[in-house]
Tab-separated table of all heavy atoms in Angstrom:
chain	number	residue	atom	x	y	z
A	1	ALA	N	106.499	92.545	111.144
A	1	ALA	CA	107.407	91.881	110.209
A	1	ALA	C	108.169	92.905	109.371
A	1	ALA	O	109.358	92.708	109.062
A	1	ALA	CB	106.618	90.938	109.303
A	2	ALA	N	107.509	94.003	109.026
A	2	ALA	CA	108.178	95.062	108.250
A	2	ALA	C	109.334	95.640	109.045
A	2	ALA	O	110.422	95.877	108.497
A	2	ALA	CB	107.171	96.155	107.897
A	3	TRP	N	109.131	95.856	110.340
A	3	TRP	CA	110.186	96.405	111.173
A	3	TRP	C	111.340	95.415	111.311
A	3	TRP	O	112.510	95.776	111.245
A	3	TRP	CB	109.637	96.823	112.526
A	3	TRP	CG	110.610	97.381	113.498
A	3	TRP	CD1	110.672	97.093	114.826
A	3	TRP	CD2	111.670	98.323	113.269
A	3	TRP	NE1	111.689	97.800	115.434
A	3	TRP	CE2	112.323	98.571	114.494
A	3	TRP	CE3	112.122	98.995	112.152
A	3	TRP	CZ2	113.402	99.425	114.629
A	3	TRP	CZ3	113.206	99.866	112.269
A	3	TRP	CH2	113.839	100.070	113.491
A	4	GLN	N	111.030	94.132	111.494
A	4	GLN	CA	112.074	93.115	111.582
A	4	GLN	C	112.887	93.050	110.290
A	4	GLN	O	114.122	92.954	110.322
A	4	GLN	CB	111.467	91.739	111.894
A	4	GLN	CG	110.852	91.647	113.272
A	4	GLN	CD	111.823	91.983	114.392
A	4	GLN	OE1	112.942	91.509	114.410
A	4	GLN	NE2	111.391	92.826	115.313
A	5	ALA	N	112.222	93.114	109.147
A	5	ALA	CA	112.916	93.079	107.862
A	5	ALA	C	113.780	94.318	107.666
A	5	ALA	O	114.921	94.224	107.195
A	5	ALA	CB	111.893	92.959	106.730
A	6	ALA	N	113.253	95.485	108.026
A	6	ALA	CA	114.021	96.733	107.880
A	6	ALA	C	115.279	96.687	108.743
A	6	ALA	O	116.370	97.061	108.288
A	6	ALA	CB	113.156	97.935	108.270
A	7	LYS	N	115.155	96.212	109.984
A	7	LYS	CA	116.332	96.099	110.856
A	7	LYS	C	117.352	95.112	110.299
A	7	LYS	O	118.543	95.361	110.326
A	7	LYS	CB	115.918	95.676	112.272
A	7	LYS	CG	115.244	96.771	113.067
A	7	LYS	CD	115.097	96.408	114.532
A	7	LYS	CE	114.169	95.246	114.727
A	7	LYS	NZ	113.863	94.992	116.158
A	8	ALA	N	116.862	93.984	109.744
A	8	ALA	CA	117.764	92.981	109.168
A	8	ALA	C	118.540	93.536	107.993
A	8	ALA	O	119.660	93.097	107.717
A	8	ALA	CB	116.962	91.748	108.747
A	9	LEU	N	117.958	94.511	107.294
A	9	LEU	CA	118.636	95.156	106.161
A	9	LEU	C	119.533	96.314	106.585
A	9	LEU	O	120.144	96.969	105.750
A	9	LEU	CB	117.596	95.648	105.155
A	9	LEU	CG	116.850	94.535	104.411
A	9	LEU	CD1	115.670	95.137	103.632
A	9	LEU	CD2	117.789	93.771	103.498
A	10	GLY	N	119.594	96.588	107.893
A	10	GLY	CA	120.481	97.626	108.399
A	10	GLY	C	119.852	98.988	108.608
A	10	GLY	O	120.547	99.937	108.956
A	11	TYR	N	118.536	99.091	108.437
A	11	TYR	CA	117.869	100.371	108.671
A	11	TYR	C	117.621	100.547	110.163
A	11	TYR	O	117.429	99.593	110.902
A	11	TYR	CB	116.558	100.454	107.886
A	11	TYR	CG	116.811	100.566	106.404
A	11	TYR	CD1	116.878	99.435	105.593
A	11	TYR	CD2	117.042	101.794	105.825
A	11	TYR	CE1	117.149	99.529	104.251
A	11	TYR	CE2	117.316	101.897	104.467
A	11	TYR	CZ	117.358	100.770	103.691
A	11	TYR	OH	117.637	100.877	102.352
A	12	ARG	N	117.654	101.783	110.609
A	12	ARG	CA	117.496	102.093	112.028
A	12	ARG	C	116.132	102.680	112.373
A	12	ARG	O	115.821	102.875	113.556
A	12	ARG	CB	118.606	103.055	112.472
A	12	ARG	CG	119.990	102.430	112.365
A	12	ARG	CD	121.078	103.301	112.960
A	12	ARG	NE	121.089	104.670	112.446
A	12	ARG	CZ	121.811	105.067	111.406
A	12	ARG	NH1	122.568	104.238	110.744
A	12	ARG	NH2	121.772	106.334	110.999
A	13	ARG	N	115.340	102.988	111.355
A	13	ARG	CA	114.060	103.652	111.623
A	13	ARG	C	113.039	103.225	110.572
A	13	ARG	O	113.368	103.129	109.392
A	13	ARG	CB	114.269	105.156	111.569
A	13	ARG	CG	113.101	105.969	112.024
A	13	ARG	CD	113.509	107.432	112.107
A	13	ARG	NE	112.418	108.216	112.617
A	13	ARG	CZ	112.146	109.448	112.254
A	13	ARG	NH1	112.912	110.059	111.364
A	13	ARG	NH2	111.135	110.098	112.763
A	14	LEU	N	111.787	103.000	111.004
A	14	LEU	CA	110.682	102.700	110.109
A	14	LEU	C	109.506	103.555	110.533
A	14	LEU	O	109.164	103.610	111.716
A	14	LEU	CB	110.319	101.209	110.184
A	14	LEU	CG	109.246	100.719	109.223
A	14	LEU	CD1	109.693	100.893	107.766
A	14	LEU	CD2	108.928	99.254	109.478
A	15	ILE	N	108.919	104.247	109.577
A	15	ILE	CA	107.821	105.168	109.857
A	15	ILE	C	106.624	104.854	108.976
A	15	ILE	O	106.736	104.143	107.973
A	15	ILE	CB	108.240	106.645	109.626
A	15	ILE	CG1	108.654	106.877	108.169
A	15	ILE	CG2	109.350	107.053	110.591
A	15	ILE	CD1	108.816	108.331	107.782
A	16	THR	N	105.485	105.414	109.336
A	16	THR	CA	104.290	105.381	108.517
A	16	THR	C	103.361	106.484	109.007
A	16	THR	O	103.612	107.133	110.030
A	16	THR	CB	103.592	104.009	108.554
A	16	THR	OG1	102.647	103.934	107.470
A	16	THR	CG2	102.882	103.767	109.865
A	17	TYR	N	102.301	106.714	108.270
A	17	TYR	CA	101.321	107.738	108.620
A	17	TYR	C	99.934	107.125	108.685
A	17	TYR	O	99.638	106.163	107.978
A	17	TYR	CB	101.285	108.843	107.541
A	17	TYR	CG	102.540	109.655	107.446
A	17	TYR	CD1	103.577	109.271	106.618
A	17	TYR	CD2	102.696	110.821	108.197
A	17	TYR	CE1	104.738	110.019	106.517
A	17	TYR	CE2	103.858	111.570	108.101
A	17	TYR	CZ	104.862	111.160	107.270
A	17	TYR	OH	106.012	111.915	107.188
A	18	THR	N	99.078	107.704	109.536
A	18	THR	CA	97.654	107.421	109.500
A	18	THR	C	96.936	108.742	109.282
A	18	THR	O	97.421	109.801	109.697
A	18	THR	CB	97.133	106.784	110.811
A	18	THR	OG1	97.465	107.619	111.915
A	18	THR	CG2	97.708	105.393	111.002
A	19	GLN	N	95.813	108.658	108.612
A	19	GLN	CA	94.999	109.854	108.380
A	19	GLN	C	94.071	110.078	109.563
A	19	GLN	O	93.739	109.143	110.303
A	19	GLN	CB	94.182	109.714	107.103
A	19	GLN	CG	95.024	109.695	105.867
A	19	GLN	CD	94.173	109.675	104.607
A	19	GLN	OE1	92.951	109.517	104.670
A	19	GLN	NE2	94.800	109.836	103.465
A	20	ASP	N	93.648	111.324	109.710
A	20	ASP	CA	92.688	111.667	110.744
A	20	ASP	C	91.469	110.776	110.589
A	20	ASP	O	90.957	110.593	109.494
A	20	ASP	CB	92.302	113.147	110.608
A	20	ASP	CG	91.486	113.640	111.770
A	20	ASP	OD1	91.720	113.181	112.905
A	20	ASP	OD2	90.620	114.509	111.558
A	21	GLY	N	91.031	110.190	111.671
A	21	GLY	CA	89.877	109.306	111.624
A	21	GLY	C	90.245	107.831	111.639
A	21	GLY	O	89.398	106.982	111.875
A	22	GLU	N	91.514	107.499	111.368
A	22	GLU	CA	91.960	106.120	111.458
A	22	GLU	C	92.465	105.875	112.881
A	22	GLU	O	93.147	106.723	113.454
A	22	GLU	CB	93.082	105.842	110.456
A	22	GLU	CG	92.621	105.939	109.018
A	22	GLU	CD	93.744	105.781	108.023
A	22	GLU	OE1	94.912	106.048	108.357
A	22	GLU	OE2	93.445	105.376	106.898
A	23	SER	N	92.142	104.721	113.437
A	23	SER	CA	92.448	104.495	114.859
A	23	SER	C	93.916	104.208	115.150
A	23	SER	O	94.380	104.491	116.243
A	23	SER	CB	91.597	103.324	115.375
A	23	SER	OG	92.071	102.098	114.850
A	24	GLY	N	94.615	103.585	114.224
A	24	GLY	CA	95.999	103.211	114.486
A	24	GLY	C	96.121	101.982	115.381
A	24	GLY	O	97.194	101.700	115.903
A	25	ALA	N	95.034	101.230	115.542
A	25	ALA	CA	95.039	100.064	116.439
A	25	ALA	C	96.083	99.033	116.013
A	25	ALA	O	96.753	98.431	116.860
A	25	ALA	CB	93.659	99.431	116.493
């Protein structure tokens, strides 16, 4: 939903970070 909202606002890229030990599932 965050990516859909960012695109609707005209943004072309959405990023985030995970720390070592987090799976990113």
Side-chain angles (χ1 to χ4, degrees):
W3 179 223
Q4 293 303 314
K7 286 191 295 188
L9 291 170
Y11 290 92
R12 296 187 307 268
R13 189 172 183 214
L14 185 62
I15 61 169
T16 195
Y17 293 89
T18 56
Q19 293 185 351
D20 189 34
E22 295 176 335
S23 72

